[in-house]
Amino acid sequence: EKAGFPHFMLKEIYEQPEAIRDTLRGRLNPETGEVDLSDAELSPEFFEGLERIFIVACGTSYHAGLVGKYLFEKWAGIPVEVDLASEFRYRDVLINDRTLAIFISQSGETADTLAGLRLAKELSARVLAICNVLGSTIAREAHRVIYTHAGPEIGVASTKAFTSQLTIFLLLTLYMGRLTGRLTLERAMELSGELVELPEKVNLVIKAVHPVLKELSEKYFRQEDFLYLGRNILYPVALEGALKLKEISYIHAEGYAAGEMKHGPIALIEENVPTVALAPKEGGITYEKMLSNIEEVRSRRGPVIGFGTEGDAHLANLVTDFVGLPEVSWEVSPILYTVPLQLLAYEIAVKRGCDVDQPRNLAKSVTVE
Ligand code: F6R
């Protein structure tokens, strides 16, 4: 049932093009840039008069929510707060009927996320769930549910469910961006064109970078501490990359907003603490900032694995090891940059002899808090 792959996790990483394609299917019209979410019974009225959006989840799903904040604030122009479900449920949240509360859960059974959903409903928010498991509790209790069509995810470490959640956020961005008018028709068409091409792009990236990362993992698998740095919309991807590595390889890994380096983590840098840096050229000002952060790490003899735009000689010269990815828009970059981080974590964990599909102490579905 692993279809020839040594682990479910690797199979699921390779299934991402299909998962993204299935998640987009029937919902996107690339000719018009229009998004149809009628399968989730979503219509413009559901989004009318919104003052605020909350996104609530745990773990990897929370990281998807963080990406959602960058997308929605830019293109829907509505303030977004992202909360860990375990925090959201025990604080005094300011919610009313002009609040949209989005709950993300692959399993649809996570105890804290479910408790948060019940609270938001009680406080009269409009409640939307993003789930992968059909008919799960969170899916049933929400006012509306948009399903990711990632298929069953067996590996404990979430991979294809995450990139499918990001795909849903892109669809919602197109939908809300057009409703509020902040997203021009022209940009919406471009973005939807990119979405249609995304599965094939992800496929090419997997094929191209897997051998590279396999080789890189030989060099790095004995390290005990890693730092992951990103900025802006790739900051949550740095968090997710670090989580993947720590949960399956038991290596201590921390994700940081690169601008926070100077405020503490730079003290950790030395030749045995590699840094994974996400620095696509398309990042504009944040690209320049990432370059200075990387220089700061290098000048303290910290090795840097740099992920950036193919052919970026400047970045390639700056870092210890360079991995190039195809050019991609800001909106879609989180999906593309997640894939190599999954493969890096996987290859390192395998070399350390870890049980990647069943990491110690972890459960696929966390139904108790
Ligand atoms: C990490 C991972 C967990 C889950 C978290 C939430 O790889 O899988 O962090 O993301 O337990 O699970 P769901 O999405 O099922 O609510």
Side-chain angles (χ1 to χ4, degrees):
E1 76 242 60
K2 289 184 201 144
F5 288 94
H7 298 97
F8 282 110
M9 183 180 177
L10 191 62
K11 172 175 175 265
E12 289 160 5
I13 290 172
Y14 271 76
E15 278 171 353
Q16 289 178 112
E18 198 187 327
I20 294 168
R21 196 176 288 119
D22 288 348
T23 298
L24 291 172
R25 181 166 296 127
R27 291 167 168 166
L28 181 67
N29 183 341
E31 320 275 86
T32 62
E34 263 169 52
V35 169
D36 180 351
L37 295 171
S38 55
D39 67 300
E41 291 168 50
L42 282 170
S43 57
E45 298 82 72
F46 190 76
F47 297 93
E48 226 167 69
L50 280 186
E51 283 172 356
R52 205 165 178 206
I53 300 174
F54 270 94
I55 307 177
V56 181
C58 303
T60 289
S61 297
Y62 168 73
H63 297 152
L66 288 173
V67 172
K69 175 184 170 80
Y70 286 87
L71 291 171
F72 290 173
E73 288 191 337
K74 181 169 175 77
W75 290 124
I78 302 169
V80 180
E81 214 165 318
V82 192
D83 249 313
L84 292 163
S86 54
E87 287 299 314
F88 176 85
R89 64 180 292 197
Y90 293 122
R91 69 188 183 90
D92 297 306
V93 286
L94 300 174
I95 281 183
N96 58 32
D97 59 2
R98 291 180 196 276
T99 306
L100 169 64
I102 303 179
F103 295 83
I104 317 164
S105 179
Q106 186 284 129
S107 62
E109 304 295 345
T110 301
D112 282 322
T113 310
L114 176 59
L117 179 151
R118 287 177 177 158
L119 174 68
K121 262 175 104 176
E122 221 174 272
L123 297 172
S124 72
R126 305 173 209 179
V127 173
L128 171 65
I130 301 173
C131 292
N132 193 48
V133 176
L134 237 69
S136 53
T137 313
I138 290 171
R140 276 187 283 113
E141 292 199 16
H143 294 133
R144 302 280 192 284
V145 53
I146 310 183
Y147 283 108
T148 46
H149 294 300
E153 195 179 60
I154 312 290
V156 163
S158 185
T159 54
K160 62 176 180 170
F162 178 67
T163 44
S164 300
Q165 289 164 348
L166 295 180
T167 304
I168 295 290
F169 276 116
L170 285 165
L171 286 172
L172 279 171
T173 299
L174 275 168
Y175 194 88
M176 287 198 281
R178 289 301 293 143
L179 278 181
T180 61
R182 275 174 79 99
L183 193 61
T184 62
L185 179 61
E186 196 190 349
R187 184 71 198 112
M189 304 258 301
E190 278 170 15
L191 204 51
S192 49
E194 235 193 305
L195 277 180
V196 171
E197 287 166 16
L198 186 60
E200 188 46 27
K201 215 169 202 172
V202 169
N203 183 35
L204 292 174
V205 166
I206 294 174
K207 300 262 157 70
V209 303
H210 192 186
V212 179
L213 295 168
K214 207 170 194 166
E215 211 179 297
L216 269 188
S217 66
E218 289 286 356
K219 184 168 162 189
Y220 289 102
F221 80 95
R222 287 187 191 85
Q223 302 293 348
E224 292 301 336
D225 300 277
F226 272 78
L227 209 56
Y228 282 69
L229 299 180
R231 280 178 181 258
N232 195 267
I233 202 164
L234 293 182
Y235 159 48
V237 175
L239 296 180
E240 172 59 9
L243 176 61
K244 281 299 82 108
L245 185 67
K246 88 180 85 171
E247 69 180 327
I248 62 169
S249 74
Y250 318 137
I251 292 174
H252 167 236
E254 286 192 69
Y256 255 97
E260 276 291 293
M261 275 280 284
K262 285 193 172 66
H263 303 283
I266 200 162
L268 293 171
I269 301 296
E270 43 111 327
E271 48 196 323
N272 287 312
V273 181
T275 295
V276 172
L278 309 176
K281 221 172 178 169
E282 304 85 73
I285 178 81
T286 58
Y287 167 68
E288 304 293 330
K289 301 285 172 191
M290 279 303 302
L291 292 183
S292 351
N293 293 129
I294 292 168
E295 273 170 25
E296 285 156 8
V297 174
R298 293 299 295 127
S299 68
R300 287 162 183 82
R301 313 186 49 177
V304 175
I305 309 174
F307 292 87
T309 312
E310 261 162 13
D312 183 351
H314 188 67
L315 178 64
N317 283 328
L318 207 56
V319 298
T320 323
D321 293 288
F322 173 70
V323 183
L325 299 177
E327 227 173 279
V328 69
S329 73
W330 174 82
E331 291 84 350
V332 174
S333 62
I335 294 183
L336 223 62
Y337 279 75
T338 292
V339 171
L341 301 191
Q342 297 167 339
L343 286 164
L344 180 65
Y346 172 80
E347 287 299 337
I348 288 180
V350 167
K351 291 207 175 53
R352 288 169 74 96
C354 299
D355 182 353
V356 292
D357 283 338
Q358 291 283 327
R360 69 184 182 207
N361 309 338
L362 291 174
K364 184 67 187 162
S365 179
V366 184
T367 52
V368 289
E369 66 174 295

